[in-house]
Amino acid sequence: MAKLSDASVKVLSGVGPARVKAYSKLGINTISDLVYHFPRAYENRGDIKLLSDCIPGNKAALEMVIGTVPKKTMIRRGMTLLKFTAFDESGTCEITFYNQNYLADKFPLGATFRFYGQVEKVGRRYKMNTPAYEMIIEGEVLRPLVPVYPLTEGISKNRITADITAALNAISPELEDYLPDEIRRRYKLCTLPFALKSIHDPMDYESVARAKRRLVFDEFFTFALGMSLSGQKRREYGAPVCDNNDIGELLNAFPYELTGDQKKAINDIKNDMAKDTAMSRILVGDVGCGKTVCAMAAMYIAVKSGHQAVLMAPTEILARQHYSDIAPIFETMGFRTELLVGSLTAAQKKRVRASLCEEDPSLRTDVVIGTHALIADGVEFYSAGVLVTDEQHRFGVAQRATLSKKGERSHVLVMSATPIPRSLALIMYGDLDLSKINEMPKGRHR
């Protein structure tokens, strides 16, 4: 049974096609992606100050009573002001909102609000422009720390906060802590449900610190475990021997010379794939260092040796980017290349899935590039020679393992932009083979 966490964000109430498209720009496609979209900072709105204690030009949280009825003024075509005053025991502040006349009824006279924003002082007068605001209602507790998320056009701060809250509530019944109690006690870690709740809706900075510690532990733990699972394949015999490894045709397609590190990584891949034990290699390097070229070499060798090549990316945007970069080159070489992502129609997905297990070589897909759609039920490969996963963002252990099961004894290559010292890599990867690209291609800089 499919988990709700793997479902599209469109299942959330109020999330339509436009917002789905906006979320995809942030790399958010599923409920899980949304829950793991962590704040970049927090606004400390629980530290309430008096107007007289504010430092002009700095942000502050204030509890003030609405003192005048909001007044709308048009200062020029296309520009309106909404002004009113609010006060606390130390003074009065003029509040101004620009082009937001719809807020006029939001501030009833005599109501108490918590305002957060930059406080200015002109003479003896205090001012705040477009502050964040929350009505204080007796019996209701306002969150002291308010998360600040990375945003994009079409996704507001309030919208993403509401959607993340809805996503957390939706998956809470199926959210289980996979770490045994013994490990959590040994490393003094909080539970996963507590960590996810606290990272998005913390009561204090201590709970944020506890949540971060657990989530950082999970990143390293799942990464190491995932690599270990992939590493087990190298001990499996019966992998496809891909020894047709003259990649001169591929290299001629690039208008530049490969770096020394790229050449070394490709030689490592050639040597691995020429054996009947499954390659299990991690390719580490900064974004832009040319890891994809090395992955293309592995894919080229697999297809030239009579097998298929698979590349799985964590987001649809990245999958489409890989497809637009790789497909034109491979198709000039006669490789049939397809894209398999969640946004395809049912008919399109059916056609691609059928071509992946087609017995007729002239109709069979040679290279497929996609997202989580590659591990969906019904996706089978005729002869997967190499499985490549792009770890530029985050894949779960289960997702990578599921892909590996679809290509039993296939060669495995994982690309990662995570900077890891060699000493740590040796500890984390165990028997995995490691290739690192430190050089950047000419014209590119870190």
Side-chain angles (χ1 to χ4, degrees):
M1 181 177 178
K3 286 188 174 182
L4 181 59
S5 57
D6 294 328
S8 168
V9 290
K10 66 183 179 183
V11 304
L12 295 175
S13 177
V15 178
R19 204 182 308 164
V20 167
K21 186 175 181 180
Y23 271 133
S24 71
K25 295 178 183 177
L26 293 171
I28 298 172
N29 297 293
T30 67
I31 299 294
S32 180
D33 292 337
L34 188 57
V35 168
Y36 277 86
H37 185 72
F38 298 140
R40 60 178 174 79
Y42 296 90
E43 295 174 346
N44 188 359
R45 298 187 191 178
D47 183 17
I48 304 298
K49 296 186 180 298
L50 291 173
L51 278 167
S52 57
D53 294 331
C54 292
I55 300 174
N58 285 6
K59 289 186 174 182
L62 305 107
E63 289 186 358
M64 297 187 290
V65 178
I66 306 302
T68 61
V69 176
K71 182 179 179 181
K72 294 176 282 189
T73 306
M74 178 176 285
I75 57 175
R76 66 172 185 270
R77 180 184 291 273
M79 174 64 75
T80 61
L81 298 181
L82 182 69
K83 287 189 176 184
F84 57 92
T85 61
F87 62 89
D88 63 16
E89 62 186 69
S90 69
T92 299
C93 181
E94 182 180 79
I95 311 288
T96 302
F97 289 94
Y98 297 91
N99 290 334
Q100 297 183 66
N101 288 344
Y102 61 89
L103 296 178
D105 299 328
K106 296 285 187 181
F107 301 100
L109 199 63
T112 302
F113 279 77
R114 182 175 74 178
F115 293 97
Y116 180 84
Q118 188 169 297
V119 180
E120 301 290 351
K121 190 175 184 183
V122 181
R124 295 184 178 182
R125 299 171 61 194
Y126 295 98
K127 292 186 175 184
M128 294 184 82
N129 290 330
T130 59
Y133 59 89
E134 298 153 291
M135 180 182 283
I136 296 176
I137 300 173
E138 188 175 353
E140 294 186 11
V141 178
L142 297 179
R143 58 170 67 179
L145 298 178
V146 175
V148 179
Y149 295 98
L151 301 174
T152 189
E153 185 178 357
I155 303 291
S156 68
K157 179 168 58 178
N158 290 338
R159 188 65 269 162
I160 197 169
T161 299
D163 287 343
I164 287 176
T165 299
L168 276 171
N169 291 336
I171 68 169
S172 60
E174 67 180 41
L175 192 60
E176 298 179 359
D177 199 329
Y178 66 90
L179 281 184
D181 291 343
E182 179 188 351
I183 292 180
R184 285 197 290 105
R185 285 195 298 268
R186 183 188 309 168
Y187 295 103
K188 299 178 181 178
L189 301 169
C190 64
T191 64
L192 182 59
F194 177 88
L196 292 175
K197 171 81 166 58
S198 296
I199 203 73
H200 292 296
D201 186 16
M203 289 306 298
D204 49 42
Y205 281 112
E206 181 182 352
S207 61
V208 172
R210 291 181 65 198
K212 284 183 177 179
R213 189 169 187 274
R214 168 60 198 266
L215 294 168
V216 168
F217 180 92
D218 281 11
E219 284 292 314
F220 279 101
F221 183 79
T222 57
F223 192 59
L225 181 59
M227 296 302 98
S228 178
L229 289 175
S230 295
Q232 292 174 12
K233 296 187 72 63
R234 65 174 295 169
R235 293 187 292 274
E236 295 180 0
Y237 290 89
V241 175
C242 299
D243 54 4
N244 191 346
N245 53 22
D246 180 355
I247 61 169
E249 180 187 22
L250 178 65
L251 296 181
N252 289 336
F254 301 125
Y256 49 79
E257 177 78 11
L258 269 59
T259 66
D261 282 351
Q262 285 177 309
K263 292 176 182 177
K264 184 178 183 305
I266 290 173
N267 281 332
D268 291 340
I269 291 168
K270 283 183 178 181
N271 292 333
D272 287 348
M273 294 181 67
K275 301 172 184 176
D276 66 348
T277 52
M279 172 178 71
S280 187
R281 182 167 293 277
I282 174 82
L283 180 59
V284 179
D286 286 342
V287 173
C289 72
K291 296 188 298 295
T292 303
V293 171
C294 299
M296 288 179 68
M299 297 163 78
Y300 179 90
I301 292 169
V303 176
K304 278 295 186 179
S305 299
H307 303 283
Q308 294 167 297
V310 184
L311 191 157
M312 183 167 74
T315 68
E316 183 163 330
I317 288 179
L318 193 56
R320 288 185 177 277
Q321 179 182 319
H322 278 312
Y323 182 77
S324 65
D325 292 339
I326 295 172
I329 295 174
F330 278 168
E331 287 176 353
T332 62
M333 300 172 183
F335 296 178
R336 182 170 175 175
T337 307
E338 293 284 2
L339 178 71
L340 185 57
V341 293
S343 65
L344 296 183
T345 64
Q348 290 172 325
K349 290 177 185 175
K350 183 178 180 180
R351 179 187 61 78
V352 175
R353 286 197 296 264
S355 72
L356 291 173
C357 55
E358 172 62 54
E359 292 188 9
D360 185 345
S362 66
L363 301 176
R364 186 188 312 140
T365 289
D366 299 306
V367 177
V368 63
I369 299 168
T371 56
H372 307 79
L374 287 167
I375 58 177
D377 291 341
V379 177
E380 301 293 340
F381 305 112
Y382 182 81
S383 176
V386 67
L387 306 175
V388 181
T389 56
D390 187 340
E391 302 276 310
Q392 182 173 335
H393 294 80
R394 184 178 182 276
F395 267 126
V397 174
Q399 293 163 331
R400 190 188 303 109
T402 301
L403 179 63
S404 295
K405 287 178 182 177
K406 289 182 178 291
E408 288 295 336
R409 296 182 175 84
S410 302
H411 298 291
V412 173
L413 178 66
V414 179
M415 298 188 289
S416 176
T418 305
I420 302 170
R422 183 168 184 82
S423 58
L424 179 58
L426 290 172
I427 296 171
M428 288 180 63
Y429 302 149
D431 61 355
L432 266 182
D433 292 321
L434 172 67
S435 294
K436 294 186 74 172
I437 299 180
N438 294 313
E439 297 177 81
M440 297 296 282
K442 290 181 180 180
R444 293 188 181 179
H445 305 280
R446 283 188 172 87

